[in-house]
Structure formats: C-alpha cells, structure tokens
Amino acid sequence: SGLAFAILIITMLMQRQELKAQREELAEQRNELIAQRKEAEQGNKIAEGQRVITEQQATLIKQQIDEARVQNFYMIFFKQIDNLNQRIKANIRSQNDFFNSHVYYFIEKINELCLCNSLKEHKKLYFQQMLAEDYEHKKNFLVCEDLNESQIVENILLILNFIKSNSIILKNNQTINILLSYIHINLLLALIWLAIIENEQLKKYFEEFSMLKQISGHVSAEQLEFLKLFIDEKAFQEPV
C-alpha cells in the first residue's frame, strides 16, 4: 500500500507538471496570437495609410491634369476669340453703321407682325416666308451673304463646338459670357436672323448655352415673345 501511495503521488506530480506545461504552452500561443493580431492591425493601418496616400496622389494628379487641360483650353479659346475679333474688325469697319440698317429692318418686320391680330402660327408662317424671300432676293443682305462670306459665323460656330467638346472641364457660362462680350448686340441680332432663316446649328447653340439671355434689354417684350416662336425659350433664360 505504501508503494501504491508513492506511485499515486508521483503520478499526480507528473500530471501537475504536464498541466503546467500545457498552461505555459497555451499562454505562449495566446501571446503569439496577440502579437500576430497587433502585427496584422499595424499592417492594416499601414495599408490604409498607403491607400489614402495613393488616393490623394491620384486626386492630385487628376487635378493637375484637369488644370493643365483647362489652361490649354483657354490658351486655344482666347486665340480663337482673337481671330474672331480680328475677323469682325477686318470685315466691319463700323459695327453700328454696318448692322443698324439691317437690324432695324429686322425689328421693323417683327413690330409689324406683333401688331397683327393673326394667330401666332400665322405670324410665324408669314415671317418665315418673308425672311425666305429676303434671303433669295437680297443677296447683298447682311445675314445672307456678308456674314457667311466674312466667315464670322463659321468662327463663332468653331468656338461653340470647342466649348461643347470641353464642357466636362469647363464652367460653360463663363466661357459663353466671354464670347458674348465680343459680339456686338447688333451682330447678335443679325445672328438671330440667320439662325431663324437657315442655320439650325446656330439656333441649337443659342438654346443649349442660353446665349440670348441678355437680349431682353435690347428688344421689347412683344418682340421677345415673337422671337420665342422660332427659338426655344431656354435660349433667353439664365442657365440652371
């Protein structure tokens, strides 16, 4: 019995040592897991930091590219504006004298129809017929020949096409306002005439870029309403 008791004691001591060794091994494993988790968290923080830096760099590069594109646009835009201005000056010695007689005729015809009691559609049809006759029979008429031969309209359309093709990087209102500042009001009225007669592309740009929003200060309310028979109202409104 004494031997059996001694064996029991020895067995218990051995089990105690094994349990201690297991606890130490588990503690070591736990410490390793904690260290690994901290290392992973640190790695995630570094990766997140790198991602943020990469995004910031990408944003900065995009901004630099956009700024370069805008600068390049305005360099070309102002060259086109200068070409337009030179062409206007080369072909029109005195803008007021050159345009006034034709614009007054345009406004006079509008006034006649504004006073007419006919329905709007009848006025529109009559006006289109009248303009078509002038277009056919007055080959020296400003908007029928002089504007086209001087390539002023061609230059304006070239600029408008350029603005539209770069609309993603631009504030269109700003560039359109710059363009309009170079177009005398009488020239603008002549362009409206041309848009009504034959130039559908010019009319579409009037509407798309709200290019006639300042015209109300130069024509009467009745004249303005009459022009809206031919050109969509959004051409005369501030852009949204």
Side-chain angles (χ1 to χ4, degrees), residues 11 19 59 83 86 122-123 130 147 156 171 195 212 230 238:
T11 301
L19 289 173
T59 300
N83 290 339
Q86 290 179 15
H122 291 167
K123 291 181 183 180
M130 180 194 69
L147 276 180
I156 291 174
K171 294 179 178 178
L212 307 181
F230 302 91
E238 286 292 337

Side-chain angles (χ1 to χ4, degrees), residues 73 77 80 153-167 172 175-176 179-180 183 191 201-206 208-209 211:
F73 167 85
F77 174 71
Q80 292 178 330
V153 177
E154 181 181 336
N155 276 48
I156 291 174
L157 287 175
L158 180 67
I159 295 172
L160 291 171
N161 285 332
F162 186 56
I163 292 173
K164 183 173 182 178
S165 65
N166 289 275
S167 59
N172 283 339
T175 51
I176 292 298
L179 173 60
L180 289 173
I183 299 178
L191 292 172
Q201 186 180 14
L202 186 59
K203 184 168 80 74
K204 286 180 179 179
Y205 276 134
F206 282 165
E208 181 176 353
F209 292 134
M211 291 182 64

Side-chain angles (χ1 to χ4, degrees), residues 37-50:
R37 185 167 61 248
K38 288 182 179 180
E39 185 178 346
E41 289 175 353
Q42 186 65 26
N44 289 337
K45 288 181 181 179
I46 293 172
E48 178 63 19
Q50 290 175 337

Side-chain angles (χ1 to χ4, degrees), residues 77-87 182:
F77 174 71
F78 282 111
K79 284 183 179 179
Q80 292 178 330
I81 288 289
D82 186 55
N83 290 339
L84 172 64
N85 199 34
Q86 290 179 15
R87 191 167 294 280
Y182 285 86

Side-chain angles (χ1 to χ4, degrees), residues 4 14 31 36 43 68 70 86 97 101 103 115 132 135-136 160 168 181 187 207 212 214 225 235:
M14 290 177 63
N31 291 335
Q36 289 175 357
V70 170
Q86 290 179 15
D97 292 342
S101 61
V103 171
L115 295 173
Y135 183 71
E136 290 298 325
L160 291 171
I168 294 177
S181 70
L187 172 55
E207 296 167 350
L212 307 181
Q214 297 175 342
E225 288 303 312

Side-chain angles (χ1 to χ4, degrees), residues 2 16 28 33 62 98 111 121 143 169 180 190 193 206 236:
R16 183 177 179 183
E28 185 177 346
L33 289 173
K62 183 179 182 302
F98 193 77
N111 287 339
E121 285 305 315
V143 295
I169 62 170
L180 289 173
W193 182 293
F206 282 165
F236 305 89

